[in-house]
Amino acid sequence: ALAPRCGWVLPGLEQRLAVPAVVSAATVRPYAAAAKTAKKGAQRTRQEKAEDKPPPRRRPLMTKPVDDVYLTWLYRRPSYDLEKAVEMLKKFQELDFTHPKQFVYINVFLDMALQKKKKVDSFSSSVTLPHRFTDEVNKVLVFTENEQEAETAREHGAAVVGGVELIKWILEDEVQADFYVAVPAIIPKLIPLRNKLKRKYPSTRRNSLGSDIPKMLQFFRECHEYAVEDENIIKTRIARLDMPTEHIIANLKTIIHDICTFKPSTFDPIVRRLVIRSSTSEGLLLNLDGILPQVEKVEEEGKNAVDEDQEKLVQESVST
């Protein structure tokens, strides 16, 4: 260390202190490349072992607990008959001292698959429930340019009545309604509203296009609307908890039967799971027996009737 200051250097010290201009990684750490390749090889072997390792076996879920306190994830979720489930919801309300007139909801989980990679498109629909559970009235707009039809619409409770002059106000969101109905004469002039109204655009398939204005107004002012959410779920209210049990059941079956019409009966039922709950209670899984429409049984009975008729014809031909 004192050599530079004193002006002399020990023999060989200059060579030992000299540093090469370029230092390669191989000369400094000759084992680095080998370590990297070994590490990559170890990672590959671990991945191969993980792939070869069989998946862990899950314990089959048990059916019924034997005690009042149990781990829910170890047991299958119990399913209830519809009438029993409604009675349970009413009992929950009494025990929890919650509002007796709270709404009853259903969550419908759908099987939208068709043949190959096709599936049922998301849809919305409106139905008339056999037992109304709210005093709310939908706001209905009627498209017509006939003064007599316009007067009839106003008499039967239309919120807005007009012709092509309404197009501008609807496009600018100045006029809005829950439902839009129209007479056939004006429908060619409403094409600019097709993209704006989308599913609410008047059409014969939705029964919102026709000449019977009083009938359309009566339906859409009191109907119940539902729609598919997240591609395969319908969440909608169906009744109030203080209604009679048979009224709640009738409303639920009306909505379920309407949902089933959106998938051909030749495929699996569109309703996969059905959960009922109130505003403050837990959800109860329902047993679908007796809720879904009996399409297959009707077809089988029809086939049996045809077979019986054929047998009778054969017997008559043999006897003659």
Side-chain angles (χ1 to χ4, degrees):
L2 298 177
R5 184 180 299 179
C6 298
W8 55 271
V9 180
L10 293 175
L13 182 61
E14 183 178 0
Q15 297 177 359
R16 290 196 299 270
L17 293 177
V19 180
V22 179
V23 181
S24 63
T27 58
V28 177
R29 292 193 303 168
Y31 57 86
K36 288 182 179 180
T37 55
K39 188 175 181 180
K40 289 182 179 179
Q43 290 179 353
R44 290 176 182 174
T45 54
R46 288 175 186 171
Q47 292 177 357
E48 292 175 356
K49 289 181 180 179
E51 292 176 357
D52 296 339
K53 186 177 180 181
R57 295 183 179 179
R58 296 187 62 182
R59 282 185 62 185
L61 297 177
M62 294 176 280
T63 53
K64 293 183 179 180
V66 296
D67 201 352
D68 294 337
V69 180
Y70 58 92
L71 300 175
T72 56
W73 59 83
L74 294 179
Y75 295 87
R76 297 176 184 173
R77 187 175 182 179
S79 60
Y80 304 93
D81 293 335
L82 179 54
E83 186 174 356
K84 181 180 179 181
V86 174
E87 294 298 335
M88 290 176 65
L89 294 181
K90 292 178 177 290
K91 192 66 176 178
F92 293 159
Q93 181 272 321
E94 295 176 1
L95 296 175
D96 296 337
F97 296 98
T98 53
H99 199 275
K101 293 186 178 182
Q102 57 187 291
F103 288 116
V104 178
Y105 297 83
I106 57 172
N107 295 350
V108 189
F109 299 86
L110 307 176
D111 179 10
M112 308 284 277
L114 296 174
Q115 59 183 359
K116 297 181 179 180
K117 295 184 179 180
K118 296 181 180 180
K119 64 177 184 179
V120 180
D121 296 330
S122 297
F123 57 86
S124 63
S125 181
S126 303
V127 294
T128 301
L129 298 179
H131 306 283
R132 296 197 65 203
F133 58 91
T134 177
D135 295 331
E136 298 175 1
V137 177
N138 298 319
K139 184 178 179 180
V140 185
L141 184 148
V142 178
F143 289 106
T144 181
E145 292 181 325
N146 185 294
E147 187 58 35
Q148 185 176 359
E149 292 177 342
E151 186 63 28
T152 302
R154 294 188 189 96
E155 291 176 357
H156 287 81
V160 182
V161 183
V164 293
E165 70 276 4
L166 296 176
I167 296 178
K168 177 183 177 181
W169 302 108
I170 295 173
L171 292 175
E172 296 178 355
D173 294 327
E174 295 292 335
V175 175
Q176 295 181 350
D178 297 319
F179 297 96
Y180 301 82
V181 301
V183 295
I186 197 175
I187 198 66
K189 302 178 182 179
L190 302 180
I191 294 178
L193 293 176
R194 184 182 294 274
N195 293 332
K196 178 67 176 180
L197 299 182
K198 296 180 180 179
R199 294 178 180 175
K200 293 187 177 181
Y201 187 78
S203 67
T204 54
R205 186 170 61 88
R206 298 185 180 91
N207 299 320
S208 57
L209 177 61
S211 302
D212 195 344
I213 294 178
K215 182 179 179 180
M216 291 190 295
L217 282 172
Q218 181 181 3
F219 174 77
F220 286 105
R221 290 181 76 243
E222 300 179 357
C223 70
H224 177 75
E225 186 181 24
Y226 65 87
V228 176
E229 304 174 10
D230 300 328
E231 296 185 353
N232 65 340
I233 301 176
I234 295 176
K235 300 178 181 179
T236 183
R237 58 186 186 180
I238 61 170
R240 289 188 182 273
L241 195 57
D242 62 332
M243 292 172 59
T245 301
E246 56 271 17
H247 291 184
I248 299 176
I249 293 175
N251 284 358
L252 182 145
K253 288 186 175 181
T254 300
I255 295 176
I256 294 299
H257 287 204
D258 187 72
I259 293 172
C260 291
T261 60
F262 286 89
K263 187 175 182 180
S265 58
T266 54
F267 296 93
D268 294 333
I270 190 172
V271 178
R272 182 165 50 91
R273 283 195 303 140
L274 179 58
V275 177
I276 188 172
R277 64 176 180 87
S278 65
S279 301
T280 59
S281 74
E282 62 177 294
L284 302 177
L285 182 64
L286 294 178
N287 184 359
L288 296 179
D289 294 338
I291 298 178
L292 301 182
Q294 305 296 326
V295 177
E296 297 179 357
K297 290 184 178 180
V298 172
E299 290 180 355
E300 290 178 359
E301 291 176 357
K303 290 180 180 178
N304 293 335
V306 171
D307 293 339
E308 290 179 358
D309 293 339
Q310 290 178 352
E311 289 180 1
K312 288 181 180 179
L313 291 174
V314 171
Q315 290 177 358
E316 291 177 358
S317 60
V318 171
S319 60
T320 53

